[in-house]
Amino acid sequence: GAVVSQHPSRVICKSGTSVKIECRSLDFQATTMFWYRQFPKQSLMLMATSNEGSKATYEQGVEKDKFLINHASLTLSTLTVTSAHPEDSSFYICSARRTGTDGYTFGSGTRLTVV
Amino acid sequence: SQKIEQNSEALNIQEGKTATLTCNYTNYSPAYLQWYRQDPGRGPVFLLLIRENEKEKRKERLKVTFDTTLKQSLFHITASQPADSATYLCALGMNTGFQKLVFGTGTRLLVSP
């Protein structure tokens, strides 16, 4: 089946530093990947759509200069949280869909804690 | 305003019974609806998709219905097991091109032995 690997699973960083999260499709090519954020007991909120070889599309209210997305290959998208603050602490999840399948495959998520 | 509502309170049922979860939406016209399972600290796992022109879909112990007039989907797990305990999310797809999804808040299901 389709597998999406996300790394790291947990990260703690100091306020003001940047953190990079990787999302890889292991056994299929993904021209489009999606990045979500989930706060405790809340729904997944789409942050941005990552497009291979072009600029990401950000949802309303998401700062593109703070959440940098790079989709440099057909199997890798990265999300960099720049100048992180405690309010950026959340669960970040990526997803992609393998052509020909009905559902999206999600990564296992990254728990970001900014101290 | 646009909303996707799922029961915010946990659903507690006994093993062997049928669990029924509800997803209601307002001011959306989805082309399809999906159901996912999410375990704590993990990403969601796809379960079923049902399109706007379909009334019902089944997969093993799972059944999904979709009523576009009521703007509601029901998700059933028959012969429930403790291993079915998780949070279940519904998600709406706005077009057939499989672009972004809009998720409900999820319902936590607890199946007791």
Side-chain angles (χ1 to χ4, degrees), chain A residues 37 58-64 67:
Chain A
R37 181 166 52 183
Y58 290 82
E59 295 299 300
Q60 193 173 11
V62 177
E63 300 175 58
K64 62 180 181 180
F67 298 100

Side-chain angles (χ1 to χ4, degrees), chain A residues 15-47:
Chain A
S15 189
T17 62
S18 296
V19 173
K20 180 185 283 188
I21 303 170
E22 291 188 348
C23 180
R24 293 180 184 273
S25 55
L26 296 187
D27 52 354
F28 67 102
Q29 294 182 334
T31 56
T32 303
M33 291 185 175
F34 302 91
W35 287 96
Y36 293 84
R37 181 166 52 183
Q38 186 176 34
F39 291 105
K41 298 189 177 181
Q42 292 189 26
S43 182
L44 276 76
M45 297 301 297
L46 180 67
M47 299 175 64

Side-chain angles (χ1 to χ4, degrees), chain B residues 97-110:
Chain B
F98 283 99
Q99 293 303 315
K100 60 183 182 181
L101 296 175
V102 182
F103 280 85
T105 51
T107 298
R108 189 173 172 214
L109 173 67
L110 298 171

Side-chain angles (χ1 to χ4, degrees), chain A residues 32 34 36 38 41-46 49 51 59 91 93 97 101-109 111, chain B residues 32 34 36 38 41-46 48-49 51 57 89-90 97-106:
Chain A
T32 303
F34 302 91
Y36 293 84
Q38 186 176 34
K41 298 189 177 181
Q42 292 189 26
S43 182
L44 276 76
M45 297 301 297
L46 180 67
T49 302
N51 302 296
E59 295 299 300
F91 192 54
I93 318 173
R97 190 181 73 88
T101 62
D102 280 346
Y104 291 80
T105 302
F106 284 79
S108 54
R111 173 73 58 193
Chain B
Y32 60 90
Q34 299 185 346
Y36 288 80
Q38 186 176 25
R42 308 289 294 178
V45 175
F46 171 72
L48 279 170
L49 175 147
R51 291 180 170 80
K57 267 282 187 65
L89 305 165
C90 69
F98 283 99
Q99 293 303 315
K100 60 183 182 181
L101 296 175
V102 182
F103 280 85
T105 51

